[in-house]
Amino acid sequence: MKIGNTEIGKVALAPLAGITDMAFRRICRSFGAGYAETEMVSAKALSFNDKKSFELMELSEDEHPCGIQLFGSEPNVISNAAVLAKNEGADVIDVNMGCPAPKIAGNGSGSALMKNPKLCGEIVAAIKSKVDLPVTVKIRKGFDSENVNAAEVAKICEQNGADAIIVHGRTRQQYYSGKCDLDIIKTVKSAVSVPVIGNGDVKDIKSAQKMLEYTGCDAVMVARAALGNPWIFRTLKEYFDKGIIINPPSHEDKLKIMREHIELVCSYKGERLGMLQSRKQIAWYLKGFNGAAKFRNEAGTVSTLDDMYSLIDRVLCYQAENK
Ligand SMILES: Cc1cc2nc3c(=O)[nH]c(=O)nc-3n(C[C@H](O)[C@H](O)[C@H](O)COP(=O)(O)O)c2cc1C
């Protein structure tokens, strides 16, 4: 599966604000995610030289291909931001046309763009005129149940040069609840000739296979199911590449992966900020362990790597005692 000339494989990590930082992207890539994206970056903030927004675009050398996702609503501002993203090493520019959050959609960006398909096309055309990189758009089913227009938006984006379409099968109104609508992904796939990446509720082999087979989409993007579970990419890759169903990692291995992940976060962000930002990640990793509720609460208080190492020891002891 290619976006433009960029090979991305069949299973990608979706952008997740506050989560898909360099450490998490690298961990997911090491488990076989063929492609990942930064979280959404404000084109407007980049135009004001905002340091934090530039930091969000930093990519490590070993994580290509990687897309940088931009949000905004002004073709000129977002296309200038695309030039900056290219300078940071982006392999693909993705435009967020799906974010439901009021502070984004309320400003006419994210999912609000779907109310104005013509503007969606203008944004894609503006980016294509300024950077020679593949451009994708990440859209939803529509803004709400009365305005289901993913196929229309996808077509306009394609006509204006989009190299692939990513569709999340929920409306903005639904946020992240309700079921992902596979039919809308199928409709988008038959409406355009560029590749389509399906997104929504892919959480295991069965749901990934159903998404691919039922909708005919070219690849799938996994978001929430990767939280505390980056080995999902190995499970899916082994299955789609070789037809092999592998066992999930043991408790010990899961904690080892968590440890490596959080150490990587701290190596990038420093221990203080790294540990603060990692509390939710640690809680996700501990899902499904014996005593998870108690240990996940404790995860909310870790402040140093030593706190985490001690938590890991206690979790392992508890597993051994409560087999
Ligand atoms: C906490 C959170 C943050 C998200 N941040 C982004 C984002 O920055 N850009 C984006 O396009 N989608 C974002 N999404 C949407 C996901 O990429 C994805 O489309 C959605 O979660 C559906 O996929 P899933 O059912 O596999 O979780 C976010 C979702 C969540 C839950």
Side-chain angles (χ1 to χ4, degrees), residues 77-320:
V77 175
I78 208 163
S79 55
N80 286 341
V83 175
L84 302 173
K86 185 181 174 194
N87 294 343
E88 291 293 325
D91 298 289
V92 173
I93 305 292
D94 182 37
V95 183
N96 184 314
M97 298 188 177
C99 181
K103 69 172 187 209
I104 308 290
N107 278 332
S109 305
S111 57
L113 287 173
M114 294 199 67
K115 293 200 273 191
N116 189 346
K118 189 166 159 274
L119 179 58
C120 296
E122 286 166 5
I123 288 174
V124 173
I127 300 174
K128 288 300 279 192
S129 74
K130 284 201 192 141
V131 293
D132 56 348
L133 283 181
V135 174
T136 59
V137 292
K138 184 161 175 286
I139 63 175
R140 280 184 176 247
K141 177 177 174 174
F143 196 76
D144 54 33
S145 52
E146 268 81 60
N147 296 284
V148 172
N149 64 348
E152 182 196 357
V153 172
K155 265 199 272 193
I156 290 183
C157 290
E158 178 184 40
Q159 283 156 10
N160 283 280
D163 296 275
I165 311 287
I166 307 165
V167 204
H168 173 199
R170 286 187 180 85
T171 62
R172 187 266 175 170
Q173 191 181 32
Q174 289 178 291
Y175 273 63
Y176 302 104
S177 64
K179 258 177 64 180
C180 165
D181 179 2
L182 294 184
D183 285 302
I184 194 70
I185 299 173
K186 191 174 180 173
T187 305
V188 169
K189 174 64 193 167
S190 50
V192 296
S193 43
V194 290
V196 170
I197 302 172
N199 167 241
D201 297 345
V202 172
K203 57 178 195 308
D204 50 22
I205 291 172
K206 196 169 156 217
S207 50
Q209 193 166 29
K210 180 151 185 215
M211 171 83 83
L212 287 163
E213 280 176 5
Y214 184 81
T215 71
C217 69
D218 304 273
V220 297
M221 214 170 219
V222 180
R224 288 167 296 176
L227 304 178
N229 187 31
W231 47 86
I232 187 174
F233 294 103
R234 184 150 74 195
T235 307
L236 297 178
K237 189 169 167 43
E238 288 293 304
Y239 183 76
F240 290 123
D241 285 359
K242 304 180 199 149
I244 299 172
I245 299 180
I246 54 165
N247 288 326
S250 64
H251 281 327
E252 286 77 5
D253 285 345
K254 285 183 183 176
L255 294 173
K256 196 163 154 260
I257 295 160
M258 174 180 94
R259 183 183 162 136
E260 282 168 13
H261 174 183
I262 308 308
E263 285 172 347
L264 200 55
V265 174
C266 291
S267 75
Y268 290 136
K269 300 186 178 174
E271 189 168 351
R272 210 185 72 81
L273 180 65
M275 288 312 295
L276 259 180
Q277 292 190 356
S278 296
R279 288 172 173 175
K280 57 183 188 241
Q281 303 270 7
I282 295 173
W284 288 323
Y285 275 106
L286 294 176
K287 240 170 116 180
F289 278 74
N290 283 326
K294 174 173 141 354
F295 292 125
R296 295 179 79 201
N297 272 338
E298 287 183 35
T301 65
V302 292
S303 299
T304 62
L305 280 168
D306 280 340
D307 289 347
M308 177 182 74
Y309 300 146
S310 133
L311 177 61
I312 291 175
D313 288 344
R314 278 177 288 119
V315 172
L316 280 176
C317 256
Y318 192 85
Q319 306 311 298

Side-chain angles (χ1 to χ4, degrees), residues 38-58 68-72 76-88 93-94:
T38 65
E39 64 177 86
M40 57 179 177
V41 183
S42 164
K44 190 86 167 206
L46 290 173
S47 77
F48 295 133
N49 245 330
D50 175 59
K51 189 168 163 273
K52 283 214 169 98
S53 301
F54 274 90
E55 281 168 13
L56 293 177
M57 295 201 296
E58 282 172 16
I68 290 184
Q69 191 190 58
L70 299 171
F71 74 93
N76 193 38
V77 175
I78 208 163
S79 55
N80 286 341
V83 175
L84 302 173
K86 185 181 174 194
N87 294 343
E88 291 293 325
I93 305 292
D94 182 37

